[in-house]
Amino acid sequence: SLSTTASGGSQFTITEQLTSNLSSCGSGTKGFAFVSDASVNTYGTTFSGSGSYHVPVYCDGTSWKVH
């Protein structure tokens, strides 16, 4: 969601989810999400769940990767 702050700026909020709740990544599901249990936090790498990193991720049409 997008909201305006008291100082007139904007704030963009996305709810984090577990890696296991991400949809399958494929050519029809490209997009962004935030996860709260990534195994790594290195940009551009694939990851698994059960980790401790809170990171933005993206589907490149093949696999979910850390953004």
Side-chain angles (χ1 to χ4, degrees):
S1 67
L2 182 62
S3 60
T4 303
T5 65
S7 62
S10 296
Q11 177 176 325
F12 185 66
T13 305
I14 297 177
T15 303
E16 288 182 317
Q17 59 186 310
L18 296 175
T19 298
S20 61
N21 291 333
L22 290 172
S23 60
S24 296
C25 178
S27 60
T29 57
K30 294 178 182 175
F32 288 90
F34 280 81
V35 297
S36 59
D37 66 340
S39 56
V40 296
N41 65 353
T42 305
Y43 180 83
T45 59
T46 56
F47 61 95
S48 61
S50 300
S52 60
Y53 294 105
H54 297 248
V55 295
V57 297
Y58 67 99
C59 169
D60 63 1
T62 302
S63 60
W64 286 99
K65 296 183 178 179
V66 175
H67 189 274

